[in-house]
Amino acid sequence: MRELHAIQLTVNGVRHERSVEARLLLSDFLRQELELTGTHVGCEHGVCGACTVLVDGEAVRSCLMFAVQADGSEITTVEGLADGGAVPDLHPLQAAFRDAHALQCGFCTPGVLLTLIPFLEQNPDPDEQTIREALSGNLCRCTGYQSMVEAVRALAEGVGR
Amino acid sequence: MEIQSEFVFNGSRDDLWANLLDPTVLAKALPGTKLELVEEDRYEGQMEATVGPVTAARFDVTIELVDKVAPESFTMRVDGKGAAGFTKGTALVQLAEQGPTETLMKYTADLQVGGRIAGVGQRLLDSVANSMSRQGLEAINRHLQGEAPAEAAAPLQLLSRPVLAAIAVVIIVAVLLVVLL
Amino acid sequence: MKPAPFRYLRPGTVDDALDLLTEHGPQAKLLAGGQSLIPTMNFRLSQPAVLIDLNRLGELAGIEESRRGLMIGAMTRQRAAERSGAVRDRAPLLSEAMPFISHPQVRNRGTIGGSLAHADPAAELPALMVALDAEFLVRDRDHQRRIAAADFYTGLFATALAPDEMLLSVEVPKTPKRTGWAFEEISRRHGDYALVGVATTITLDRKGRCDGAHIVLLSVGDGPVAASQAVAGLAGEEPTADAIRQAAEVTATRDIDPPADIHASAAYRRQLARVLTTRALTRAVARAQGAEVSETGAR
Amino acid sequence: MSAAHFGAAVSRNEDARLLTGQALFVDDVQLEGMLHAAFLRSDYAHARITNLDVSAAQESEGVVAVYTAADLGEYWQPGPLLVPPQPIERLEFHCATQVPLAKDKVRHVGEPIAVVVARSRYEAEDALPLIRVELEPLPAVANPVAALEPDAPRIHEQFESNLAAHAIQEKGDYASIVDQAALVVRRHLDHDRGASAPMENRGVVASWDRKCGELTVWDTTQAPIPIRNGLARMLGLPETQVRVIAPFIGGGFGPKIMMFYPEEVLLPWVTMQLGQPVKWIEDRQESFFATTQERSQVHDAELAVDAEGRILGVRDVFVYDAGAYNPYGLTLPINTQCTLLGPYEVPNYYTEFRAAFTNKPIVSPIRGAGRQPGVFVMERLLDIAARELGIDVMEIRRRNFLPPDAFPHDHGIIYQDSASLVYDSGNYLPALERAAEMIDYHRFLDETQPALRAEGRHVGIGIVSYVEGTGIGPYEGARVSIEPSGRVNLATGVGTQGQGHFTSFAQIAADQLGVEVADVEVVTGDTGKFHWGTGTFASRGAVVAGNACHAAAVALREKILEQAAQELEAATADLELVAGTARVKEAPERSIAFGELAVRANPLRGGVKPGTEPGLEATAYFGPEKGSTASGVHAMIVEVDPETAMVDVQRYVVVHDCGKVINPTIVRGQIIGGVAHGIGNCFYEQLVFDENAQLQNASFMDYLIPTATDVPPVDTDHIETPSPFNPLGIKGAGEAGAIPTNPLFAQAVENALQVPGLEVLEMPLSPNRLFELLCAAREAD
């Protein structure tokens, strides 16, 4: 039997205690242990950004962190964005994405949203180039990114008004 | 991939030839390797490579020496296999006298690198090959000049009489290591 | 792509970390931000028996103004350095270059010390520290010592750190007067490993002649490569466009011996080194002369 | 009937689930007792398996089973030939399809040799290095031209050479006109491989319910019905006892079609052996070997024109790289042959290809499917002819367009659907002029470019056109039904990988039924819900399944109207369907809700009248006799840094004609996404194999998918030439964006640099390669 480590962490406001093998990636922990399958795994070498979650408020790639390292952390996943995780109560960024058709297959979308949320807190009114740079750590094969940029602009303009 | 390079040693060609085939010299140049002479000019063993973040890459290695023309040239055939991939190929090593205490070594290695390591490591292939072979060659050169070779991180064990061309092994090692990154 | 098993240790103090490092020796790897190590582990190209996680060593995180300049703890996140006003004021070259390091998600986790000790030849931070004349503070269980950045890098992924030593912090000296700086890099895509990058500084004397310069390149050798012949050529010269072109030419043709990979041949790397050195020096000189420089490096 | 929804830019039904992490992807399926599989794959491109010993792996912690080819018994069979050879005269075709696990030989890197099943993926991967496999390397061949040399290493022993196919198609008589040409342009053009690289890798979860004798497979396939049918046949199960579900799929782009990949065939067998569910999720590294690839072709082409630049004929001889196996037959090279003709009048055409087996991963369609190399050849030859004759690149295209009265236009050569290549409709000149207007083509050349040039900036423009045969048969079906709750359900067999079918199909049905788009619940890709059809590929989902949805909704509308007419005692002609009710137009208070009608259509007592069916439900099918031909013009502005050879795509314009548009927002998204893929293909993405067929860039670190900073803003517009071959008048749009990008990029880069002798005749073009071409051109000058 392999060595297990007890960890406690808060995910989307819910406290969890688990025992995990040290090598368990945070992405696998969230998906398999907590069944929060909205966090997607696209490359497991830190390039595609699909697995991006917030750890203590900062966007990080959950495939490049071990679950044991998240002991004591606060994590936000895509399931934690809409109020109560419910479909009708979309987060404004989620609504902006829907309105701008900023997703197609939707696989990269959770990572994109979690990249943009802290970005928008720090840059409430970003220009197109800044948005593109912020998105450049998230790969999307469907949209060509343009509609994501439009979604962020629309949201920023709406908020600014 | 093809590696072509040359190196000037501060020593006579005969000395260099003898040194290249001396196991104790080789031991200093190749940390982490175990090789055993299984038949005339044929070695088998294991190598463990460590470069940068790459730690546990183990390879089963077979080395064969052919076309030996003392003290001018030899060819070696190398086959290395591990969980992360393989390397396979030949290296031709030629020694030319440039003076009583100067010998030019030219080496050409034609190597296949395959498997997982080939697909992920190419960014550093060239650098690792150059850097590792240069280090090995410098170590041999220091020995040739009678200096104590730099301390090796882990001792190399040659379990049997060695008739091995250190440099060719160095090249192979370089390539093996290369591909691990 | 799942990592092999390993033993996980999480020291709470630097002393504990050094004890563990001594105890486990070469079997152990230090885990800082993990943004280079963990991918390699996921590929199973790295299978350390022991991981010593430094992320709880709060004493190693932080940026402080020091008498000489700026003290940056090894476990400072790259993102913190990017956002730091102190870095912007005291080491503007570093500030300018931070956005070139991968992507925000990686910089949020990646550390200054992790990148410096990893010594990837394509990494920006080692070249920047050499260009800034930084000093590395390192320690084993018994001793602490300082190593100049230029002496820290000894080869491919190789540093002057002994197996039982750890990098604690890096000190970046204040930028001298009449000094300009610039960082230029070209990568295939934003955030990729650089095809070539160059960090430059130039200090002018009162007559406007070069009184010291750094041209340090990345992705052209085993580690950061200082273009010493080019710098020597600039010494005492007025940094005219011709002098800059000459320095770039020497850099590209004599100071570097770049490797080839699928993205760039050696000849292409030389060309990029030539162009980027010209551009960086031009901007650095303009800054040293007090001119406004709006461009923030090639993307 | 109102037409409020068809053509409207409504937001998507599926988005809320996707945005909140509630959508089910294959990797999200978690079942009680589920095991995890990992595959041992070949490191060698070509080798004989001399020994295989899995005993140590079987002892590894957490391992439940390890299987090799020897364990499969009768189940070990090469996969099916998916597309039989098209009826081309004197065609030579040799078929060798992939096997579930290599038995004697491996023929490409990554070919699976054994599968480990363990409690977790971690433990399964732990056991892989414990498998002792001895492989005796054989010489490998990577280059398709080299593969056809007489002394090339033989990949499939049963054939005399590596020739997989040889075909000649002809129209007119090229040889007879070549002497009359004012100019003959001859060039050698190269097109290399790329990956589809959807963000979601492939995956399979298989679960065998012993008691019910039922197999359920969640599969990232674009075509669940053919997979179900094939698995039932292979496993000896009734089709009704096999359910294949393609839930939300994270992008497909071609390779997720019904390939019968080894993993797809093995997992169902494994779950039946073990009686426990088993999951395999391809990791990104595996995807570079285990998922099909495309686009490697080598062309020797010539274009004969008269002094005005009018095309007299084209001759093209090419070698097509089929990879190690060719289950997809000849679709790709035939698409190349056909699409090369473009929107042009080409009276004489000689096209010949040889398909070659190589020791590289299998080739099957990726977004564009053989069309890119054809368009690249034709557009480049036109550019060169224009330059040599001193004609503008737009003008030479204008002179050669098929006129609007030329349709339907039969080219007389065989297309991928085995029928003659017929363009249904088209109107090319307006698209060219509109694109030129949008990008301000003439002003750019006359004013902007010279002004920028004076500032030392190298900015260039390009404009190209293309056609794309879309929406081929055989058929798709759909069932629309109304529940007693009033809810409208629509089920169709095609899989969905992000194209918005949950919305566009709902739009089609909503119009017929007088309900809101959001009220139509669409199910796609679940054979338990609908099990007739083929799949989503060849830009056919909207065309073929869309028309099937339309037909089913029309049938259901009739049924509702008839039933309501009885209930409301009115003539059907006097009724209208509004807001989920049927009502009398002149007396809206006389109405009945659909739910109520549904209850009455499914009575608990009494009989169903002969000749009628219970329930408010209708099923219909649509099979187009011929596909529909989409077309378009793309234009681009690039800035090239001649010192660094870096290229910045600054503007991009697409004018596209995909007939009637169901949802302009979705179509725009498809187009722009395709353009991003196309930009990847021209400047960033290349699978680099060494001469031993080892892939050098098997990760996202080195295989460069364009990021947000690498793709430009794209302006789109539409020309609408409805297809006469389907009732809705639609044409496919899924692939179009990616098709003409390569020649466009080449043209724009040449235009920016204006270096004499610089010709871009290869794709992709990395900055390193552009630097080399520039050096060579400057040296020659």
Side-chain angles (χ1 to χ4, degrees):
Chain A
M1 206 48 214
R2 298 208 163 97
E3 194 183 356
L4 296 178
H5 300 262
I7 59 170
Q8 301 183 355
L9 69 175
T10 303
V11 181
N12 303 329
V14 180
R15 202 168 159 73
H16 298 272
E17 294 186 16
R18 289 287 195 283
S19 287
V20 296
E21 213 188 327
R23 63 166 161 169
L24 184 68
L25 297 170
L26 178 59
S27 46
D28 287 336
F29 173 79
L30 293 169
R31 293 178 47 76
Q32 292 161 17
E33 283 286 324
L34 303 186
E35 299 199 26
L36 293 170
T37 54
T39 299
H40 295 154
V41 171
C43 76
E44 291 178 305
H45 54 279
V47 182
C48 78
C51 68
T52 303
V53 299
L54 302 188
V55 177
D56 297 326
E58 298 274 23
V60 303
R61 305 198 189 288
S62 62
C63 76
L64 296 190
M65 214 178 136
F66 298 110
V68 64
Q69 295 188 281
D71 186 20
S73 300
E74 287 221 13
I75 291 177
T76 304
T77 70
V78 71
E79 288 92 344
L81 296 183
D83 281 348
V87 163
D89 304 314
L90 294 180
H91 181 284
L93 182 64
Q94 290 172 319
F97 262 54
R98 181 195 55 203
D99 296 345
H101 186 37
L103 65 156
Q104 290 182 24
C105 80
F107 194 82
C108 71
T109 312
V112 171
L113 295 172
L114 287 155
T115 298
L116 288 174
I117 281 171
F119 166 75
L120 280 165
E121 279 166 15
Q122 289 144 24
N123 305 271
D125 190 19
D127 63 17
E128 175 175 338
Q129 188 55 30
T130 314
I131 298 167
R132 286 184 180 273
E133 280 168 20
L135 284 170
S136 68
N138 292 78
L139 297 180
C140 169
R141 194 55 146 170
C142 296
T143 63
Y145 309 99
Q146 185 167 335
S147 52
M148 295 186 195
V149 175
E150 288 162 359
V152 174
R153 279 307 308 151
L155 180 65
E157 278 161 25
V159 169
R161 234 178 269 134
Chain B
M1 78 180 281
E2 210 162 277
I3 302 173
Q4 259 187 14
S5 193
E6 51 186 55
F7 190 86
V8 178
F9 287 91
N10 304 101
S12 74
R13 184 161 72 168
D14 288 339
D15 273 1
L16 178 59
W17 180 265
N19 264 287
L20 287 176
L21 306 181
D22 180 341
T24 58
V25 177
L26 187 64
K28 306 293 190 218
L30 288 179
T33 304
K34 285 182 188 176
L35 285 172
E36 195 174 347
L37 182 70
V38 291
E39 60 188 67
E40 181 68 21
D41 289 347
R42 184 184 163 91
Y43 298 80
E44 289 180 6
Q46 284 95 42
M47 249 186 49
E48 207 156 69
T50 302
V51 174
V54 173
T55 48
R58 241 189 128 80
F59 287 85
D60 294 330
V61 187
T62 307
I63 299 172
E64 248 184 310
L65 292 189
V66 292
D67 302 337
K68 269 196 302 182
V69 184
E72 290 169 12
S73 67
F74 56 85
T75 296
M76 90 192 302
R77 297 199 186 118
V78 176
D79 207 337
K81 287 178 190 168
F86 70 89
T87 181
K88 179 178 158 58
T90 55
L92 170 67
V93 180
Q94 292 167 298
L95 306 180
E97 280 183 337
Q98 287 203 324
T101 59
E102 215 176 82
T103 306
L104 174 71
M105 171 190 280
K106 286 188 175 177
Y107 56 93
T108 311
D110 188 4
L111 294 148
Q112 294 181 31
V113 180
R116 186 147 35 109
I117 49 177
V120 186
Q122 73 79 31
R123 172 173 74 95
L124 298 163
L125 217 80
D126 227 34
S127 296
V128 178
N130 287 331
S131 141
M132 295 300 292
S133 38
R134 202 168 51 239
Q135 279 174 33
L137 293 165
E138 278 164 4
I140 294 165
N141 197 31
R142 277 195 300 275
H143 183 81
L144 203 60
Q145 294 168 281
E147 291 171 26
E151 236 175 83
L156 169 87
Q157 299 168 41
L158 272 179
L159 301 177
S160 164
R161 191 180 62 89
V163 192
L164 201 49
I167 181 50
V169 179
V170 167
I171 297 165
I172 301 319
V173 171
V175 169
L176 285 172
L177 295 182
V178 153
V179 290
L180 302 180
L181 289 165
Chain C
M1 287 187 62
K2 307 294 183 190
F6 55 84
R7 195 163 160 221
Y8 175 78
L9 301 169
R10 191 165 67 196
T13 65
V14 170
D15 287 339
D16 288 350
L18 288 167
D19 285 346
L20 291 170
L21 188 57
T22 309
E23 183 187 335
H24 295 283
Q27 286 195 307
K29 275 265 165 199
L30 296 177
L31 174 61
Q35 305 298 289
S36 297
L37 179 59
I38 299 179
T40 322
M41 291 177 68
N42 289 356
F43 281 118
R44 292 204 182 211
L45 290 174
S46 184
Q47 303 186 14
V50 177
L51 269 194
I52 302 172
D53 185 353
L54 306 180
N55 284 279
R56 298 298 159 107
L57 305 183
E59 55 192 301
L60 292 188
I63 300 167
E64 280 170 25
E65 296 189 13
S66 67
R67 200 174 44 80
R68 285 191 66 214
L70 206 57
M71 200 70 162
I72 306 174
M75 286 302 293
T76 305
R77 305 286 169 196
Q78 291 159 6
R79 195 74 157 152
E82 179 184 358
R83 291 171 179 155
S84 158
V87 172
R88 209 157 30 244
D89 293 346
R90 297 206 160 199
L93 173 65
L94 193 54
S95 243
E96 173 168 304
M98 289 308 295
F100 287 90
I101 303 173
S102 192
H103 301 287
Q105 297 103 314
V106 168
R107 298 198 293 275
N108 279 335
R109 191 83 197 140
T111 63
I112 298 288
S115 173
L116 292 175
H118 180 54
D120 189 310
E124 289 83 1
L125 285 169
L128 288 161
M129 292 306 170
V130 174
L132 290 167
D133 280 332
E135 277 192 352
F136 294 3
L137 192 66
V138 310
R139 231 187 94 181
D140 64 14
R141 279 203 298 191
D142 307 317
H143 309 92
Q144 185 161 310
R145 61 180 178 130
R146 281 172 169 264
I147 308 172
D151 300 330
F152 187 78
Y153 295 99
T154 57
L156 194 68
F157 292 98
T159 69
L161 280 175
D164 56 351
E165 266 182 333
M166 213 170 92
L167 174 63
L168 300 187
S169 61
V170 54
E171 189 167 34
V172 181
K174 271 179 245 169
T175 309
K177 280 187 186 151
R178 290 183 301 279
T179 297
W181 69 90
F183 182 80
E184 292 276 348
E185 171 176 313
I186 282 194
S187 57
R188 289 296 316 268
R189 298 171 303 183
H190 183 72
D192 280 339
Y193 286 114
L195 298 180
V196 173
V198 58
T200 58
T201 71
I202 186 163
T203 305
L204 304 181
D205 65 15
R206 287 175 196 284
K207 293 182 176 162
R209 288 174 308 211
C210 174
D211 188 29
H214 290 92
I215 302 171
V216 185
L217 296 101
L218 50 116
S219 268
V220 298
D222 290 351
V225 177
S228 48
Q229 297 179 67
V231 168
L234 280 172
E237 298 290 321
E238 196 183 325
T240 59
D242 273 349
I244 288 172
R245 244 193 314 277
Q246 177 63 22
E249 192 59 32
V250 171
T251 300
T253 54
R254 286 162 55 188
D255 280 317
I256 62 171
D257 181 14
D261 66 12
I262 59 164
H263 300 304
S265 65
Y268 184 44
R269 281 207 158 84
R270 280 190 204 279
Q271 167 68 7
L272 293 178
R274 182 180 289 119
V275 175
L276 296 188
T277 303
T278 306
R279 291 178 185 175
L281 276 177
T282 304
R283 287 201 296 124
V285 167
R287 277 182 169 135
Q289 292 166 340
E292 280 289 306
V293 174
S294 58
E295 204 186 330
T296 56
R299 276 293 152 84
Chain D
M1 137 191 151
S2 69
H5 302 306
F6 188 107
V10 294
S11 67
R12 300 198 314 172
N13 284 348
E14 55 267 57
D15 283 356
R17 284 166 74 191
L18 289 163
L19 283 161
T20 52
Q22 310 296 318
L24 182 88
F25 290 86
V26 171
D27 194 15
D28 302 343
V29 175
Q30 306 228 30
L31 303 171
E32 191 65 33
M34 189 168 72
L35 301 170
H36 297 263
F39 285 82
L40 177 74
R41 299 179 182 278
S42 173
D43 281 346
Y44 293 87
H46 198 193
R48 211 173 293 289
I49 302 174
T50 54
N51 193 20
L52 186 53
D53 174 5
V54 301
S55 50
Q58 276 165 335
E59 300 306 314
S60 185
E61 188 175 338
V63 169
V64 175
V66 183
Y67 299 107
T68 67
D71 299 312
L72 297 178
E74 290 292 295
Y75 193 65
W76 190 95
Q77 293 291 335
L81 171 63
L82 300 166
V83 183
Q86 286 76 354
I88 294 171
E89 276 179 49
R90 301 185 307 276
L91 172 77
E92 187 177 350
F93 179 65
H94 304 289
C95 175
T97 59
Q98 74 282 2
V99 298
L101 290 170
K103 199 179 250 177
D104 308 314
K105 226 177 112 164
V106 289
R107 295 182 174 84
H108 67 85
V109 175
E111 188 163 2
I113 297 170
V115 57
V116 174
V117 185
R119 288 176 312 198
S120 76
R121 176 64 176 251
Y122 289 75
E123 290 174 326
E125 290 188 17
D126 290 345
L128 292 178
L130 302 176
I131 298 174
R132 289 199 66 84
V133 55
E134 282 169 32
L135 295 172
E136 179 196 321
L138 299 167
V141 60
N143 181 310
V145 176
L148 295 177
E149 298 287 330
D151 55 349
R154 190 104 54 82
I155 296 165
H156 296 283
E157 285 74 11
Q158 67 269 40
F159 305 133
E160 283 169 16
S161 72
N162 293 323
L163 183 76
H166 178 216
I168 297 172
Q169 296 214 64
E170 279 185 275
K171 168 186 181 186
D173 182 4
Y174 179 81
S176 73
I177 55 89
V178 66
D179 293 341
Q180 305 152 25
L183 172 71
V184 179
V185 177
R186 291 189 182 87
R187 290 295 185 277
H188 179 86
L189 301 103
D190 254 317
H191 211 290
D192 207 353
R193 274 195 186 208
S196 60
M199 297 321 299
E200 177 203 42
N201 286 310
R202 292 188 298 115
V204 183
V205 177
S207 178
W208 170 242
D209 184 333
R210 210 183 291 270
K211 286 182 186 159
C212 299
E214 205 169 63
L215 175 72
T216 308
V217 181
W218 288 263
D219 185 359
T220 54
T221 180
Q222 298 168 214
I225 296 168
I227 292 291
R228 181 203 68 160
N229 298 348
L231 286 177
R233 181 172 43 75
M234 292 175 197
L235 292 162
L237 294 171
E239 288 184 355
T240 50
Q241 293 300 94
V242 181
R243 180 177 176 193
V244 175
I245 303 168
F248 278 95
I249 303 295
F253 313 111
K256 287 180 180 170
I257 206 164
M258 61 292 191
M259 287 300 297
F260 293 92
Y261 281 106
E263 306 88 358
E264 212 166 27
V265 170
L266 279 168
L267 272 269
W269 180 86
V270 169
T271 184
M272 291 181 72
Q273 299 295 306
L274 297 175
Q276 277 175 278
V278 55
K279 175 190 273 189
W280 168 77
I281 300 297
E282 180 184 63
D283 66 34
R284 187 55 67 181
Q285 196 172 29
E286 284 183 292
S287 79
F288 282 99
F289 305 102
T291 289
T292 55
Q293 307 172 346
E294 207 221 300
R295 306 223 207 290
S296 164
Q297 297 187 4
V298 180
H299 288 252
D300 284 293
E302 56 186 75
L303 168 73
V305 291
D306 68 15
E308 277 74 50
R310 287 203 176 75
I311 298 170
L312 300 177
V314 175
R315 182 177 198 277
D316 181 36
V317 178
F318 66 99
V319 174
Y320 156 78
D321 172 6
Y325 302 96
N326 60 348
Y328 219 83
L330 299 174
T331 295
L332 294 168
I334 287 176
N335 277 359
T336 306
Q337 291 187 311
C338 289
T339 311
L340 183 144
L341 292 167
Y344 311 112
E345 176 89 61
V346 181
N348 301 287
Y349 183 35
Y350 176 92
T351 172
E352 172 179 5
F353 71 82
R354 286 179 174 76
F357 289 114
T358 59
N359 290 114
K360 293 193 291 192
I362 304 171
V363 170
S364 81
I366 295 179
R367 198 174 208 168
R371 297 179 180 91
Q372 277 91 337
V375 175
F376 185 61
V377 168
M378 186 61 155
E379 296 297 302
R380 292 275 58 204
L381 294 179
L382 280 172
D383 290 345
I384 294 163
R387 189 188 67 216
E388 306 231 328
L389 295 171
I391 306 173
D392 174 74
V393 293
M394 244 184 92
E395 181 56 29
I396 198 167
R397 286 167 172 80
R398 186 201 311 269
R399 289 181 193 176
N400 285 292
F401 279 154
L402 286 163
D405 60 4
F407 301 93
H409 186 83
D410 190 341
H411 281 288
I413 61 171
I414 298 293
Y415 190 45
Q416 61 159 311
D417 60 357
S418 288
S420 183
L421 175 68
V422 174
Y423 291 178
D424 59 343
S425 65
N427 191 7
Y428 305 132
L429 189 56
L432 183 75
E433 286 173 344
R434 178 74 186 118
E437 181 190 328
M438 286 168 71
I439 207 156
D440 219 352
Y441 181 81
H442 295 291
R443 197 165 80 173
F444 177 87
L445 286 180
D446 296 343
E447 297 170 26
T448 317
Q449 189 178 43
L452 289 167
R453 197 57 186 237
E455 294 172 25
R457 293 176 60 186
H458 296 70
V459 185
I461 197 165
I463 190 162
V464 300
S465 34
Y466 66 100
V467 300
E468 179 200 1
T470 71
I472 54 169
Y475 77 97
E476 288 300 336
R479 183 181 61 243
V480 187
S481 57
I482 292 173
E483 290 179 12
S485 64
R487 216 177 137 100
V488 181
N489 294 312
L490 188 160
T492 176
V494 297
T496 294
Q497 307 88 41
Q499 298 91 336
H501 293 152
F502 299 100
T503 309
S504 47
F505 294 164
Q507 287 176 264
I508 291 169
D511 277 345
Q512 295 303 320
L513 301 177
V515 296
E516 292 305 312
V517 176
D519 296 336
V520 183
E521 184 75 19
V522 175
V523 175
T524 69
D526 179 349
T527 65
K529 303 286 173 64
F530 198 88
H531 64 112
W532 293 103
T534 41
T536 302
F537 51 87
S539 296
R540 66 188 292 280
V543 183
V544 188
N547 274 289
C549 292
H550 174 71
V554 167
L556 181 59
R557 177 187 172 81
E558 291 308 315
K559 214 166 169 177
I560 293 169
L561 287 172
E562 274 169 32
Q563 180 131 12
Q566 286 181 18
E567 301 290 343
L568 299 173
E569 295 175 350
T572 55
D574 296 333
L575 297 180
E576 61 180 4
L577 306 186
V578 177
T581 63
R583 68 187 191 193
V584 179
K585 283 180 208 162
E586 305 299 327
E589 69 284 358
R590 287 171 59 200
S591 75
I592 183 163
F594 287 177
E596 185 57 30
L597 277 175
V599 172
R600 295 188 195 179
N602 188 19
L604 294 174
R605 293 289 184 276
V608 171
K609 276 189 209 155
T612 68
E613 290 169 357
L616 282 192
E617 179 175 298
T619 301
Y621 298 90
F622 177 71
E625 201 179 316
K626 296 228 173 266
S628 48
T629 312
S631 63
V633 173
H634 289 209
M636 175 196 266
I637 291 177
V638 300
E639 177 157 11
V640 187
D641 181 336
E643 289 189 316
T644 63
M646 294 303 285
V647 183
D648 179 24
V649 181
Q650 297 181 331
R651 269 205 75 193
Y652 205 107
V653 163
V654 177
V655 179
H656 188 239
D657 182 352
C658 59
K660 292 277 190 188
V661 171
I662 307 169
N663 185 325
T665 306
I666 289 176
V667 169
R668 176 175 179 261
Q670 289 288 314
I671 300 286
I672 295 176
V675 167
H677 196 150
I679 286 173
N681 286 159
C682 54
F683 195 56
Y684 295 97
E685 300 180 37
Q686 183 170 18
L687 291 167
V688 182
F689 291 87
D690 72 7
E691 64 282 7
N692 301 302
Q694 291 285 341
L695 181 60
Q696 306 292 288
N697 52 342
S699 81
F700 270 174
M701 288 178 289
D702 286 317
Y703 186 79
L704 311 174
I705 306 283
T707 72
T709 47
D710 304 317
V711 294
V714 180
D715 291 327
T716 61
D717 199 3
H718 291 274
I719 300 283
E720 197 175 285
T721 316
S723 173
F725 290 173
N726 66 74
L728 294 175
I730 53 189
K731 302 174 175 182
E735 298 173 89
I739 290 175
T741 323
N742 286 337
L744 177 62
F745 184 76
Q747 192 194 89
V749 165
E750 286 177 10
N751 181 263
L753 287 165
Q754 317 234 329
V755 171
L758 176 75
E759 276 184 8
V760 177
L761 299 174
E762 63 193 87
M763 278 291 147
L765 181 76
S766 68
N768 184 57
R769 189 67 193 124
L770 177 57
F771 169 71
E772 287 171 359
L773 292 177
L774 271 170
C775 290
R778 283 173 185 146
E779 219 163 85
D781 195 26

